[in-house]
Amino acid sequence: MLRRSLFRRAWYGLTGALTLVVLACSGSGDATGPDPIDPGPGPVDPGPGPVDPGPGPVDPGPGPTEPGIIAGTYALTAVNGSEPGLMVSLANPDGNLIGIYRFQPTTTLVLDPMGGYSLSLEYSDEKGNYVLGDDGEYQWTGAEGGVLLSFESDTWGDAFSGAARNDGGAVIDYDFDGDGRIDTRFEFQQVTGG
């Protein structure tokens, strides 16, 4: 009986060992077990995602909604940052002096509700008093805090830009000497409406 018991134990041991050897040698023939299943190239990378369009168009805010709001007569308040009546030097962007002038507070910009403008620059130098007139058409585009203005001169055949603010102020960047380069900033305040 003891012999049978030993024989059984040996048999179970030998069978178990052979089973382990067979399992270990299956697959690619190495002792590490079966080869793992290749899952393929993996999920497709969708890229960086949609482009953020940003905050969207600029909200023009509570600015004027029709040309009649900005139409009116504007009086001069500053020339290149200097008050009217003071001597101010005007120079081209390259620094070449145009002249030294005194612009009068009677200088006006008139914007009519139909899109026309007239500009009367009253100024003087050591030689005399002058009035430079300009008129033509303007267009406006709503912007935050006011409107952007673009002017087409019928008098001189050129163009210049400006802006009108909700507080009644206006500014134009002007080619005073007529050489095709903007050289002077005139600032105005509305004194009468449409």
Side-chain angles (χ1 to χ4, degrees), residues 144-159:
E144 189 169 345
V147 296
L148 301 177
L149 301 170
S150 57
F151 296 86
E152 297 279 335
S153 173
D154 291 339
T155 305
W156 305 108
D158 61 355

Side-chain angles (χ1 to χ4, degrees), residues 27-186:
S28 63
D30 61 12
T32 61
D35 289 336
I37 297 174
D38 184 7
V44 175
D45 182 8
V51 175
D52 182 6
V58 174
D59 180 8
T65 56
E66 56 186 59
I69 301 292
I70 61 170
T73 300
Y74 292 77
L76 184 67
T77 59
V79 178
N80 287 347
S82 296
E83 292 181 21
L86 299 177
M87 297 300 283
V88 61
S89 61
L90 303 185
N92 280 309
D94 60 8
N96 288 329
L97 183 66
I98 297 168
I100 299 174
Y101 303 102
R102 184 186 315 269
F103 288 87
Q104 304 305 319
T106 51
T107 292
T108 57
L109 171 67
V110 177
L111 302 177
D112 75 45
M114 300 304 291
Y117 80 90
S118 65
L119 176 63
S120 176
L121 296 172
E122 298 182 24
Y123 64 101
S124 61
D125 62 11
E126 71 279 354
K127 296 177 186 172
N129 297 317
Y130 311 97
V131 176
L132 176 71
D134 190 357
D135 64 356
E137 305 296 319
Y138 75 93
Q139 294 183 343
W140 66 280
T141 305
E144 189 169 345
V147 296
L148 301 177
L149 301 170
S150 57
F151 296 86
E152 297 279 335
S153 173
D154 291 339
T155 305
W156 305 108
D158 61 355
F160 57 97
S161 63
R165 299 183 308 265
N166 289 339
D167 65 2
V171 60
I172 61 171
D173 291 328
Y174 198 74
D175 176 16
F176 183 75
D177 67 352
D179 68 352
R181 298 179 292 178
I182 299 298
D183 48 52
T184 310
R185 174 165 283 183
F186 293 99

